[in-house]
Amino acid sequence: MIPKIEQASSQDIKRFQEEKLKDLLQYLNKNSPYYQGIFKKHHIDVNTINSLEDLAKIPTTTKDQLQQYNNDFLCVEKNKIIDYVTTSGTLGDPVTFALTDNDLNRLAYNEAISFACSGVTENDVMQLMTTIDRRFMAGLAYFLGARKLGAGIIRVGAGIPELQWDSILKFKPTYLIAVPSFLLKLIEYAKQHDIDLKTSGVKGAICIGEPLRNQDFSLNTLAEKITSQWNIKLFSTYASTEMNTAFNECEKQQGGHHHPELIIAEILDENDQAVPANHVGELTITTLGVEGMPLLRFKTGDMVQAHTEACGCGRNTMRLGPVVGRKKQMIKYKGTTLYPPAMDNILNDFNEVECYIIEISNNNIGTDEICIKIATKTPSDKLLSRIKDHFRAKLRVSPKIEIHDKKVIQKLQFPIMSRKPVMVIDNRKTDS
Ligand SMILES: [Zn+2]
């Protein structure tokens, strides 16, 4: 189930996207109060935007704008809205997204081709280990995608290893949809309860929320920890509510494939210019075919690298490498630039570390400070210095490391209303 356009030449894919872009601009010009205002303010005649290169004439949209003018992004009357979802905003209040009936169909199509990209077929059964409610888009997308693909789906929800294993043994799912670190909890539970991982029947896991790979696509420590104990294939996915679109790895596992019928992807530098090939930049997206709240040149805040060489799976579409980090979480530390995921990799190397949280702050001389709070059953100065040495060797930084009670860290990780664990607390005062 590879859409034809994904096997077309890059020239044909570009032309195809340009036609879709023209449709989108007409639609926004007619229906989007926010973009009508932008076109007017910047004297943009949408009829003069004909190529992907012309996109550069249109200003980008930021998360702050989306939050501040949230209602102005809505392109349909309220009675057309079926599903309401929210995403955490950067300025505090959550941002609302509204999906129409057509948007839900588009979401189903997106997830179906994304599952298919990762090798899931109508003969598979998937076990959903994320929440489907709580105004969360992804859980619903997985359900709709499985239905569209014709695959079975068991909606167990997040957590509860006992119920997860009960379902695995009862319904024999072939794929799991899960946060990778939760797979470790499942492995631990299986070991404690004499469940044989080898006969579980699970072939693979569609992973969300945490990175699985290093920039060269080798498995990171977390993923290695999983696959060394449980012989399943792990597939990375990258998606967001704003994009209404997923980038899933194919069986070659060389980055998440772009679906040209659903989204335009640009990788931009600080000045909103395209970065040179093989450089890291901020993923900036334009949604195609979205009716409720389409976005034009939306800056996702995620730093990524695009890979354009041909993929062995037969798709000619661009692939996104693992997210290097959040642009806002970029840390300037004594002449080095780094992002929290690189620190996650270091900390995951230590089995003694039960949980942790990374705190970033700025000191009175204007540089960034890193403090990592860890919980461990075996606290010792030796452990602290081993972790510090590992940081110095791998990242050339030596953050402050403190040992805290597990409960204290878990409280920081799961603030009320949060749907995902918080791994980084950024206390820096921003001057932008
Ligand atoms: Zn591929």
Side-chain angles (χ1 to χ4, degrees), residues 51-218:
S51 67
L52 295 186
E53 290 79 10
D54 287 343
L55 268 175
K57 297 176 189 166
I58 303 171
T60 55
T61 304
T62 65
K63 287 200 174 192
D64 290 352
Q65 287 160 343
L66 182 57
Q67 182 153 28
Q68 237 172 322
Y69 309 105
N70 201 172
N71 288 334
D72 290 346
F73 282 88
L74 190 61
C75 291
V76 295
E77 296 293 326
K78 195 174 177 193
N79 67 0
K80 291 272 181 205
I81 301 169
I82 306 287
D83 193 48
Y84 292 85
V85 299
T86 58
T87 176
S88 48
T90 45
L91 302 174
D93 281 338
V95 176
T96 302
F97 270 84
L99 286 88
T100 65
D101 191 44
N102 283 337
D103 290 341
L104 288 170
N105 288 337
R106 181 190 171 283
L107 194 64
Y109 171 77
N110 156 68
E111 206 55 55
I113 60 171
S114 297
F115 280 147
C117 188
S118 299
V120 182
T121 72
E122 60 188 9
N123 298 321
D124 285 303
V125 175
M126 290 184 276
Q127 183 156 319
L128 179 59
M129 301 184 169
T130 72
T131 180
I132 196 166
D133 51 5
R134 300 190 74 177
R135 312 193 303 209
F136 188 45
M137 181 189 274
L140 182 66
Y142 297 132
F143 178 77
L144 295 174
R147 185 180 174 202
K148 174 118 185 131
L149 186 62
I153 187 160
I154 313 151
R155 291 173 293 113
V156 181
I160 336 175
E162 189 181 351
L163 187 61
Q164 302 291 359
W165 274 114
D166 178 72
S167 285
I168 293 170
L169 300 173
K170 196 176 278 174
F171 304 113
K172 291 281 170 194
T174 41
Y175 285 90
L176 311 176
I177 305 167
V179 177
S181 53
F182 184 66
L183 295 175
L184 281 179
K185 292 216 171 85
L186 285 185
I187 292 169
E188 201 180 313
Y189 185 93
K191 283 183 177 166
Q192 282 164 1
H193 295 83
D194 291 323
I195 297 168
D196 186 4
L197 290 164
K198 283 195 201 77
T199 58
S200 68
V202 177
K203 290 190 291 191
I206 308 291
C207 293
I208 58 161
E210 291 162 343
L212 288 178
R213 296 184 195 283
N214 303 310
Q215 289 302 317
D216 63 0
F217 301 117
S218 59

Side-chain angles (χ1 to χ4, degrees), residues 117 249-255 257 311-315 319:
C117 188
E249 276 183 346
C250 66
E251 277 158 280
K252 301 291 172 195
Q253 304 190 306
Q254 299 286 307
H257 272 284
C311 185
C313 71
R315 290 174 184 81
R319 286 159 288 119

